[in-house]
Amino acid sequence: MSSRSKQLYKFDRFLLDAGERVLLRDGQHVPLTPKAFETLLVFVRNNGRIMEKDDLLKKIWPDTFVEEATLAQNVFTLRKALNQASHKGQDKAQAAEHRYIETIPRRGYRFLADVHEVEEETPAPLNETGEEEASSVAPHPAREPFTAHEPVIARSNMDETENSAVYSQAAQRAPHGGHGDDVHANGNGQTANAANGQASAAAQDVKLHAGRAWAGDDRRSGVERSHPKLGALLIASVVVVAALGATFALYKFTVRRQSDAAARAVPSSFDSMKVTRLAINGKAEEAAISPDGKYVAYLTNDAGRRSIWIRQAATTNSNAQQIVPAAESGGYGGIVFSQDSEHIYFVAWQNTDVPSVLYQVPVFGGPPKKILSRINSYVSLSPDGRQLAFLRVDYAGSNPVTNLMIASADGSAERILTTRVAPEHLGEPAWSPDGATLVYPLKNLEPTPGSATLVETRLSDGKERQITAQRWHNIWQLMWLRDGSGLVMNAAEQELSPVQLWLLSYPAGEVRRVTNDLNSYAGASLTADATTLVTLQTDLISNVWVAPDGDASRAAQITQGTGKYDGYYGLSWTPDGRIVYASIASGAWDIWIMNADGSNQRQLTVDARSNYGPSVSADGRHIVFISNRAGGAFNVWRMDIDGANPRQLTNGKGENFAHISPDGRWVIYATVGFSHPNHVWKVPFDGGEPVRLTDRNASWPFISPDGKQFVCTYQAEPSKPYKLAVISFDGGPPVKLFDLSPTAMMNIVWLPDGRGITYIDNHGGVNNLWLQPTDGGAPKPITGFKSEGVGAYDWSPDGKRLACSRGIENSGVVLIKNFR
């Protein structure tokens, strides 16, 4: 048996685990961002030495140019985290005396604490087949917030949105899926839906498309259509991110361990966990484990055709059996086992106005049995299996209403337990083991930093109680521990941060992370004894490529590395041949600029929350972009090409996809979100009163080279498919309409010579660019990438070069053991 060397550093009362990327103080986790952790690691490895600023910049941000201000902010963040951990309960005078990092004027910094390195040999864990585990949960792979190939919610290609925060995450010309209104850019060209203000972005609530989509909130990570908003919002399912999800920005926060009193509910550490990835053919999008732990059911996507399979959980390699054949249209989601492990519940929806339907099918296959219609979430089963809890979204009024429903196991005797009106909405419910209460996320789609928490409602009298003081940016699927001591859930702590697994003690409401890495995790399914957790783990690597004339065979990668997600949330050419792009290389989502060969990378936004979706003016003097630096909402901003003179242009909700008109007088953009319509707008270049240009659901605007028209996605009626619409720059009805294929993923750019409109299509399972000639005719492919599909992209002003982000997204069903 081989062993793995664990590199540990001790200083004061802290223990830093370099391999697991975890900092502990007296056994309690200290939350650090990824860059703050890397900064601390450099300091402890060079303790006592004066570290010059240039040397620190090279070690922490290799191959990337970062301003000294970013280093200073990083050191400030690290000092704050260390001092807060060290001085809990002390007064300010005591805290001020204790310093770990000394500033050396005009030179750099020195780490003052005595550091002792400890080598600890730990045996490599074995999987069920007796082989060494391929992964453990905290190794810090490169992965982004939201990660999903298309709208995470409704697995159709129309994007519904996660929650208002996830909307604006959708990077301007970033990879998006679906053609519709609420999109959250997700990695390699797919949409995981984005709701205004958040991000999970980030990515993420999930699937079923209202009326045929989920009621969840994205991307992770995704959403869908019937109503381009809440309907696809509430299920945190699969890929996220998403998307949406979100986003996206990849902060590695940890939560302190519980006190001795809470140890029973929240006992263990990351070190003891064992993670096994199951061998599954096809692209997995969702998974669940049977309560008896014998079987794993999962949903796969084969070129847009979704089917449900089952396999044994005991071995990493197991023969699989298809129990629900591929849907001819629409899709499936919401896989849940019955309490006796003999049946599987799932939701099916069509790409039409047909309501989504809950079915039950025997574990080893057979004719599906229809249970009920108009369901917009996973179902939660009562402990005795006699009742179901689920969400239903009502769009009859001006604001969507989320209803928490209860029905008999056969679908009869429906009743409403509680209701929320937008911007508030409910997340997926989880029935307590004693059958007395339902716990569910309570979310607010208005853009605020902590917009989601957990609430329980007593079935006997409908009384509500908030069960934790903790707030998250978004929360997805919940699953109770069978003994009632706590719940496991998917949640994103920050905007554009990856969706992680959390454990919440009950009734104390204490929380800690189950996972602590840069992957995103969609879904949470437990065995009855809570020894095994099944989830979908997704990681993404994204870099910028340049292809002459869009020729895939001549494409050259110009940025390298993991964890930076260069171009993931948008990029744009300057007239002099440079590329402006979004990246998280600094530790936060910022706008950068570089030469077309990837050299001379320079950060343009510093310490300004999340910034993405850049678009350069025709004269090369200005950049418009999306930022939430002014508060919770994502708005349109403008700055000089060197990053100077930032100026806020809009003040609405969920604003995205901004571009400057060729004459420099206007900025066009779209509003996307749950609590307001999706429209295209324009605002004067210097700010002022916005002008609405569309009267139907529309998004992804891009201005024609002559400035007289714009193209966008357009939905004539809620029940109709989205099309490409060419509209006068003064607004009004479409001048031209072009059909879109079911696999179109959006992200629209008008060619500089005006001869056509390009967009992303997932035809064949890989995101490539397609061209719709403006004079009519059938669309045709431009790029021919066989893997690592196109995400965000832009054409150079002369139309001779294509810059695009391309990513490798790895998703798989994993079993996690010893997570408590």
Side-chain angles (χ1 to χ4, degrees), residues 208-213 226-227 231 349-350 352-356 374-376 395:
L208 271 184
H209 161 247
R212 58 203 142 178
S226 168
H227 191 288
W349 69 89
Q350 301 293 318
T352 66
D353 278 339
V354 178
S356 50
R374 294 183 58 213
I375 177 172
N376 300 110
Y395 296 103

Side-chain angles (χ1 to χ4, degrees), residues 630-641:
F634 279 90
N635 300 120
V636 179
W637 285 70
R638 188 194 83 198
M639 64 182 173
D640 297 344
I641 194 68

Side-chain angles (χ1 to χ4, degrees), residues 624-626 635-638 647-650 655 658 667 669:
V624 292
F625 59 100
I626 306 300
N635 300 120
V636 179
W637 285 70
R638 188 194 83 198
R647 179 172 182 174
Q648 186 174 355
L649 302 183
T650 62
E655 295 159 345
V667 175
Y669 65 96

Side-chain angles (χ1 to χ4, degrees), residues 352-370:
T352 66
D353 278 339
V354 178
S356 50
V357 176
L358 175 68
Y359 288 96
Q360 182 194 72
V361 65
V363 163
F364 292 108
K369 176 184 177 182
K370 179 179 177 180

